[in-house]
Amino acid sequence: MSSISISHISKSYGPVRALDDVSFDIQPGEVFGLIGPDGSGKTSLFRIIATLLLPDEGSATVEGYDTRQGMRAIRRITGYMPGKFSLYEDLTVEENLRFFATLFGTTIEQGYDSIKAIYSQIEPFKNRKAGALSGGMKQKLALSCALVHQPKVLLLDEPTTGVDPVSRKELWDMLGMLKERGITIVAATPYIDEIRRCEQVAYLNQGHVAGIGTADEILSKFKDVFNPDPIPAVKHQEEAEPVIEVEHLVKAFGTFHAVDDISFSVHRGEIFGFLGANGAGKTTAMHILTGLNQPTSGKGRVMGLDVSTQHEEIKRNIGYMSQRFSLYEDMTIAENLRLFGGIYGMTDDDIRRKTDEVLRELGMEAQRDTIVKSIPLGWKQKLAFSASIFHEPGIVFLDEPTGGVDAATRRQFWQLIYQAAQRGITVFVTTHYMDEAEYCDRISIMVDGKISAMGTPAELKQKYQQPDMDGVFTMLARQSTRHD
């Protein structure tokens, strides 16, 4: 008998058909990958399997229980870890775990053996609020919460998005241990290395099952989507003049030094990669450089402006794109661009001219008056990037701009970055995708608040005798002595 059986499932939201006649079976104890672009129907399918959503047509069973009639039984044997971690950030680690145990009619003590291997790594921080944990630690807590009632089936909806490569590897090693205990695991992921760790993979596209098979079969058949050829190098003008200068920068929170005496410079026109594991200090450093925070000590200048005293001026003279894209979903595409132009003090004539230019470059003229929340993620991403450089700043900061996005869409996004660099815009980017690190002119890697390595991708691979940037990053990040 299959552990999970999906038979002719369809689900619509108004005129949008999220799932259209989806069928496949998952065997007991299997690690099954559910992959596809944003909006392909993965989350809807997870929610149907978890009995949080009813299908319009078709049926699904979990361990023999029908998702319509056997809702209570399925919830007792299923653990679900949605993409947003589902943690209560104002509760402590232990309070979160106790709450989830209570929901399932059990206790931490009763379920401890089933989570010991994972929970023991964060148990020293059991009195810390979940909101104060790093991404990797949140991930382990969320997994512990999903396992505390000893489920037979574990559903993971992109659990590693926004998490550094080392923490991602650790989570998948943990999933390997769970498989050995006979737990059936269904995981969605945009990462190629994680897809390869699945025994069977279903590729969803626009609500349909476009393909099902082994990871190698699917990655080969749909290479253009999941593993496109790298972007060829594009020449862009780089000048010796620094647009970022940092000298002995420190940011302390009490006795904890999130940023611990870092020094570096970034040249005008350079694509500079700023890498580090979760908790390494890179986000804190970026907040200082973008005027969102001020240093405890040391010096920093961005576009000639002092980070300690001229942070408001810095905000007006840079571009910034956060991982959450920073668009207003209930406004149209043109209204978003008009808003960003107004924030940066552009004239009405310049805003109109630039809006026409951006929409033409993106091929989105026909969508000018379309509400942003109704457009695909890849379009939102390109639009958000265009909005961040709408005022043609000298430098743009990109904070994990491609998190959770498929490889083909990420490739398109980097083509936009190259185009911006060709126009002389300096690009300062953080990413957890090591293939993207290869596209940078230079890279710095932070470990425990300090810069452990800096150089071109070729220089770093040669220095640390690694075949790729993933190997370099993993080697350095594992030297961390911080536990959170």
Side-chain angles (χ1 to χ4, degrees):
M1 184 182 72
S2 300
S3 177
I4 298 173
S5 183
I6 307 296
S7 180
H8 303 290
I9 288 284
S10 293
K11 181 67 183 178
S12 296
Y13 303 98
V16 178
R17 200 152 175 87
L19 294 169
D20 191 0
D21 196 24
V22 171
S23 297
F24 56 81
D25 291 324
I26 301 173
Q27 302 309 311
E30 187 172 40
V31 179
F32 190 91
L34 198 58
I35 63 176
D38 189 72
S40 61
K42 302 188 300 295
T43 297
S44 293
L45 192 53
F46 271 117
R47 289 175 178 168
I48 287 171
I49 297 170
T51 75
L52 301 176
L53 194 65
L54 290 175
D56 298 332
E57 302 167 30
S59 62
T61 62
V62 179
E63 295 292 318
Y65 297 104
D66 184 87
T67 55
R68 295 177 190 272
Q69 284 80 39
M71 187 181 298
R72 290 183 180 276
I74 290 173
R75 291 182 181 181
R76 283 196 300 270
I77 60 172
T78 302
Y80 179 38
M81 186 173 162
K84 302 293 183 183
F85 292 125
S86 68
L87 297 174
Y88 293 90
E89 301 220 333
D90 288 335
L91 297 182
T92 66
V93 167
E94 186 176 43
E95 286 169 343
N96 265 281
L97 189 57
R98 198 168 297 283
F99 172 75
F100 279 91
T102 303
L103 281 181
F104 289 104
T106 186
T107 64
I108 296 176
E109 292 72 26
Q110 286 175 302
Y112 190 79
D113 285 346
S114 66
I115 62 171
K116 181 179 179 181
I118 302 164
Y119 183 59
S120 61
Q121 298 178 44
I122 55 175
E123 198 168 10
F125 309 99
K126 65 182 182 181
N127 295 319
R128 183 174 297 181
K129 288 188 175 182
L133 299 175
S134 69
M137 299 289 273
K138 285 181 179 177
Q139 180 192 59
K140 291 170 186 172
L141 174 57
L143 188 55
S144 297
C145 291
L147 292 169
V148 70
H149 62 297
Q150 304 177 58
K152 292 183 180 180
V153 173
L154 181 61
L155 308 175
L156 307 172
D157 190 0
E158 297 195 359
T160 57
T161 295
V163 178
D164 68 82
V166 173
S167 294
R168 291 198 296 104
K169 289 183 177 73
E170 289 177 354
L171 178 118
W172 277 84
D173 289 343
M174 293 173 194
L175 296 184
M177 295 183 337
L178 297 176
K179 172 183 165 50
E180 290 175 7
R181 284 166 31 193
I183 296 175
T184 303
I185 299 167
V186 187
T189 176
Y191 296 97
I192 302 299
D193 58 320
E194 295 181 4
I195 293 172
R196 292 191 186 281
R197 295 183 73 159
C198 299
E199 295 160 279
Q200 289 287 313
V201 175
Y203 168 38
L204 282 183
N205 189 25
Q206 297 182 335
H208 296 275
V209 176
I212 190 163
T214 67
D216 284 342
E217 288 169 349
I218 296 301
L219 291 175
S220 175
K221 184 176 180 180
F222 300 100
K223 181 181 184 298
D224 290 346
V225 175
F226 295 104
N227 199 20
D229 293 331
I231 304 172
V234 175
K235 289 185 178 180
H236 49 273
Q237 190 65 38
E238 212 179 294
E239 301 172 17
E241 179 190 355
V243 290
I244 298 176
E245 300 171 273
V246 172
E247 297 177 18
H248 303 294
L249 204 66
V250 173
K251 181 62 180 183
F253 299 95
T255 58
F256 177 72
H257 285 200
V259 176
D260 192 5
D261 192 16
I262 64 172
S263 299
F264 66 94
S265 62
V266 178
H267 308 144
R268 184 179 298 278
E270 187 173 26
I271 300 175
F272 187 82
F274 199 57
L275 310 184
N278 295 105
K282 67 182 187 303
T283 298
T284 302
M286 181 179 267
H287 283 173
I288 292 171
L289 296 177
T290 54
L292 298 173
N293 211 328
Q294 286 74 59
T296 303
S297 62
K299 297 178 181 178
R301 299 185 75 80
V302 176
M303 303 289 292
L305 300 167
D306 191 290
V307 298
S308 296
T309 60
Q310 295 176 291
H311 35 89
E312 292 304 319
E313 290 93 327
I314 287 174
K315 292 177 190 176
R316 290 195 291 270
N317 283 277
I318 64 170
Y320 177 67
M321 178 179 168
S322 75
Q323 188 178 2
R324 300 190 185 280
F325 303 133
S326 60
L327 294 173
Y328 292 87
E329 299 249 316
D330 291 330
M331 295 169 60
T332 68
I333 289 173
E335 287 170 343
N336 266 277
L337 293 175
R338 190 181 310 130
L339 174 65
F340 277 89
I343 289 172
Y344 287 112
M346 295 172 65
T347 66
D348 288 344
D349 286 344
D350 283 342
I351 290 173
R352 280 192 290 271
R353 176 189 56 78
K354 187 66 176 179
T355 297
D356 291 342
E357 180 184 310
V358 166
L359 294 179
R360 186 170 58 253
E361 288 176 353
L362 295 178
M364 295 170 69
E365 297 106 316
Q367 287 76 33
R368 171 188 288 267
D369 298 319
T370 301
I371 298 293
V372 164
K373 67 181 175 185
S374 68
I375 65 175
L377 178 64
W379 288 19
K380 288 181 186 177
Q381 191 184 47
K382 296 171 191 174
L383 179 63
F385 178 67
S386 296
S388 72
I389 59 172
F390 194 69
H391 56 304
E392 289 292 321
I395 182 169
V396 61
F397 291 86
L398 307 175
D399 190 4
E400 295 181 30
T402 56
V405 179
D406 65 83
T409 306
R410 291 193 294 109
R411 189 182 190 277
Q412 293 169 7
F413 185 85
W414 272 85
Q415 288 173 327
L416 292 179
I417 289 179
Y418 275 171
Q419 289 169 15
Q422 285 180 301
R423 299 205 305 271
I425 296 177
T426 305
V427 180
F428 187 101
V429 59
T430 72
T431 179
H432 284 320
Y433 290 98
M434 292 301 104
D435 59 325
E436 294 184 353
E438 304 273 1
Y439 294 145
C440 299
D441 298 318
R442 278 192 308 143
I443 295 164
S444 79
I445 300 177
M446 284 190 74
V447 179
D448 292 351
K450 299 179 181 292
I451 292 178
S452 288
M454 186 176 296
T456 67
E459 288 169 349
L460 294 177
K461 285 183 286 188
Q462 182 177 15
K463 179 177 179 180
Y464 294 101
Q465 298 184 336
Q466 295 294 321
D468 51 34
M469 282 307 303
D470 184 71
V472 174
F473 182 94
T474 300
M475 173 183 282
L476 291 171
R478 284 185 168 154
Q479 295 174 7
S480 171
T481 57
R482 287 184 184 174
H483 298 292
D484 187 22

